[in-house]
Amino acid sequence: MAGKLEGKVAIITGASSGIGEATAIALASVGAKVVLAARRAERLNTLAERIEASGGKALPIVTDVTDETQVNDLVRDAIAQLGRVDIVVNNAGIALLGTIDGANTSDWRRSFDLNVLGLLYVIHAALPHLKNQKSGHIVNISSVAGRTARAGVGVYNATKWGVNALSEALRQEVYKDNIRVTIIEPGLVDTEINNHITDIVAKQRIEERRQSITPLQSEDIAAAILYAVTQPAHVNVNEILIRPTGQDN
Ligand code: NDP
């Protein structure tokens, strides 16, 4: 595996924690130059130092992906400083669980702004460059919630079903430009994601669910992403669904 991504540049959104952080480390470990995007500068800088201390190359760029201008700047600065972009891992996301009935509707706007629109802005900004160079790989982090629906998860389900739908449509639009599209669909992963849930009942329920099983680790998902992006150019891994062994649905 050593050096399999030598010469490649990967942008990873949501790189300041969880799956994004683990993915940045994994891709850098096989030679990719990694662009670390998220809002928390200190976390990005610490991660960049860690990657560079192990001999990798990392460029932290503070970005709120719900802001289209910041996303355009992210892609422009990545190319200006590292010369190209080959892989985009659209990982930044939130899971503001709770029932539709009685929900705080600002949670809905935050969810769609980040999980759907933010992801689309990154794709929109990166595509002209990938098309120009006639190669590229877009990895969209969806969820088991993008394949199933559960009471109390409806709006998160809607955002991740949206990610799955737009990813397949995108694949059909860009495969002729030699651009690959992959959806990764994790089950429960041990990260900070639940900290942001505003609905107390939903938060307690998902915490209990997670504690009742051995969840996945961020590194498990990073390994799946690494697998997808290190396949030969003629192999397009479209979808990887990964549950913890103990997860029911
Ligand atoms: P974390 O909360 O650990 O990570 C989320 C990341 O997104 C952070 O780096 C955060 O950084 C970033 N982020 C949040 N808002 C923005 C924003 N507006 N602009 C840029 N970055 C932002 O969660 P996970 O690692 O678990 O989540 C990563 C992805 O995996 C998400 O898409 C999630 O839906 C998906 N997923 C997670 C599962 C789980 O059980 N954990 C299961 C299935 C899917 P910062 O706050 O610094 O901006």
Side-chain angles (χ1 to χ4, degrees):
M1 191 65 94
K4 268 201 160 179
L5 294 179
E6 214 67 56
K8 305 274 187 200
V9 175
I11 294 178
I12 299 133
T13 69
S16 60
S17 65
I19 295 168
E21 181 178 7
T23 301
I25 292 167
L27 301 194
S29 76
V30 295
K33 294 174 186 156
V34 288
V35 181
L36 312 174
R39 295 165 305 174
R40 287 171 291 178
E42 210 177 300
R43 292 264 205 132
L44 294 182
N45 291 336
T46 304
L47 176 60
E49 281 163 20
R50 186 175 158 197
I51 289 170
E52 299 232 330
S54 328
K57 171 77 187 158
L59 175 66
I61 302 182
V62 173
T63 311
D64 182 337
V65 301
T66 65
D67 180 329
E68 191 176 1
T69 304
Q70 290 188 37
V71 170
N72 290 338
D73 292 349
L74 163 70
V75 173
R76 184 201 61 206
D77 292 351
I79 292 168
Q81 296 199 44
L82 300 175
R84 55 188 293 121
V85 170
D86 301 282
I87 298 164
V88 175
V89 182
N90 261 314
N91 164 76
I94 38 175
L96 301 177
L97 306 183
T99 54
I100 292 166
D101 181 24
N104 176 347
T105 57
S106 76
D107 275 1
W108 299 353
R109 285 181 284 277
R110 282 177 66 199
S111 300
F112 276 93
D113 277 351
L114 180 58
N115 295 4
V116 181
L117 285 174
L119 174 139
L120 279 168
Y121 295 149
V122 178
I123 293 168
H124 188 252
L127 265 185
H129 306 282
L130 305 183
K131 286 179 80 169
N132 261 344
Q133 72 193 15
K134 283 267 172 210
S135 71
H137 199 149
I138 295 170
V139 179
N140 292 333
I141 309 305
S142 176
S143 171
V144 166
R147 296 266 301 239
T148 61
R150 287 170 73 95
V153 187
V155 172
Y156 185 58
N157 285 140
T159 65
K160 294 301 189 179
W161 281 61
V163 169
N164 285 14
L166 69 87
S167 298
E168 172 56 14
L170 178 68
R171 186 191 68 76
Q172 293 176 27
E173 287 181 22
V174 298
Y175 76 90
K176 285 189 178 140
D177 297 297
N178 200 31
I179 297 169
R180 296 182 278 182
V181 180
T182 298
I183 310 167
I184 306 284
E185 299 157 320
L188 291 170
V189 188
D190 188 17
T191 70
E192 302 176 359
I193 199 161
N194 293 342
N195 296 355
H196 311 288
I197 299 172
T198 62
D199 181 317
I200 305 297
V201 175
K203 191 170 182 175
Q204 194 178 339
R205 208 166 275 161
I206 188 72
E207 278 304 334
E208 283 168 8
R209 201 165 165 236
R210 182 180 308 215
Q211 280 160 21
S212 71
I213 62 166
T214 302
L216 297 166
Q217 296 300 311
S218 295
E219 291 73 17
D220 300 323
I221 307 305
I225 295 167
L226 184 61
Y227 165 77
V229 300
T230 52
Q231 294 309 297
H234 68 284
V235 179
N236 188 356
V237 178
N238 297 147
E239 190 172 7
I240 304 180
L241 173 65
I242 319 163
R243 288 185 177 88
T245 306
Q247 183 172 331
D248 52 356
N249 58 17

